[in-house]
Amino acid sequence: MPTDNRNHAKSLHVTAKPVGSLCSLNCTYCYYAYADKPPAIGSAKSAIMSDATLEELIRGLVETSDTSEIHICWHGGEPLLAGMDFYERAVALQAQYCPPGRRFVNAFQTSGVGLDAEWARFLADNAFLVGLSIDGPKFLHDRCRHDRMGRSRFAASLSALHQLQRFGVPVNSLTTVGTHNFEHGARIYRFLKQLGFKFMQFIPVVERLNAKKRPAPPPGPAAKDEAMHPVADWSVPATGFGRFLNDVFDIWLRHDTGRVSVQNFDLLLRALLGAPSGLCVSARRCGDCLALEADGSLYACDHYVFPEYYLGKLGQETLGQLANRPSQHAFGEWKQESLPDDCLSCSFRQACHGGCPKHRFIPADRGHSRNYLCPSYKNFFAHAAPRMAERMTAPE
């Protein structure tokens, strides 16, 4: 299908929130549940994305992409709370609208609470890729991840993993790295490997709080960040994420290259090979990864669900029209336009491109800001890149 780049984005990724911020857990570091955004819809029943919005999303993704695979990530809150019927409708709509020779790729991010054999069978039958949130062994996982009664749900997450493995569902681990666990990189990696994970993602927790102790709007082209909001206590130290990655890398390089895929290391390898990044965080520009709320509200990014980055309501306009607003193009280009001089001259620029704009709040030159995690990235790149390059060029 030909693509008119004047009206459509080349390829969009949408993080869809079918139940908004509704969740089975009450994680300490959850930026989404406590951000100052438009009020959430009240009851669980009314919060579920409507069939009309779901159909607009599926149709819009087909129309705005010209790639063979059309990606969608079901997220939350807890996407399981939408119920299996919702995803049965989603799969049916995908089959209805997807042209021959193309296919939908569904990713599903969950805590695993409530995921039983019936769910695992459905996910397997429909080729869903599942990301399971787990922050390490129980004593680390439970420090920040608990339910609204303060109870551990670690056993429920492990039970979900066993069901997914039993039915052959491809499952990745997603581990947030904050003050609760950044000193335990080696232990966490070994634990995840022991559980059978072959693909791992490590995500740094970095949040600033406003005067109301809620997540502050991130810096960006639509909202100049004048205030020096304090970093939340649970955020990983500026050097801590690099320490964590280095600890994991040393074990992985010795024992698991070619056997375990760590997203952070895969991204560095792509940079060394001169290939485009496979993740928006380290890509040259932003703007192609949108966030859709349960009520059809579309935002510039999952980390920018704030009024300044509201694009409009799906159904009132098409996905392509909303994604191609001038404000969204400005948002995408701002990532490069706002780089300070020390980033422009950095030897690791191609591996980082300044990182996620959300984390750019450390004052730098020319009125710009650098990434809070810059010390971690430089430490990790300096530690890992030469050894990875040496491994790449070593004779077999």
Side-chain angles (χ1 to χ4, degrees), residues 7 59 81-82 91 123 135 183 231 309 326 352 369:
N7 300 316
R59 181 167 52 205
L81 296 177
V91 169
L123 295 168
D135 281 1
E183 297 177 301
V231 176
Y309 298 95
C352 173
S369 298

Side-chain angles (χ1 to χ4, degrees), residues 315-334:
Q316 296 176 359
E317 296 181 80
T318 68
L319 182 63
Q321 289 170 332
L322 295 174
N324 280 280
R325 287 200 184 285
S327 63
Q328 186 65 2
H329 288 293
F331 175 79
E333 295 302 327
W334 185 80

Side-chain angles (χ1 to χ4, degrees), residues 206 208 216-223 225 279-287 300-301 303-304 309 330-340 352-362 368-373 377:
V206 179
R208 297 177 306 151
D225 188 31
L279 187 69
C280 60
V281 171
S282 53
R284 185 186 181 282
R285 66 181 301 279
C286 297
C301 169
H303 293 283
Y304 283 77
Y309 298 95
F331 175 79
E333 295 302 327
W334 185 80
K335 181 173 184 179
Q336 285 300 302
E337 293 171 353
S338 62
L339 283 175
C352 173
H353 289 296
C356 180
K358 176 186 176 181
H359 301 152
R360 291 187 189 170
F361 51 82
I362 304 300
H368 295 323
S369 298
R370 64 176 174 83
N371 199 301
Y372 167 82
L373 291 171
Y377 290 139

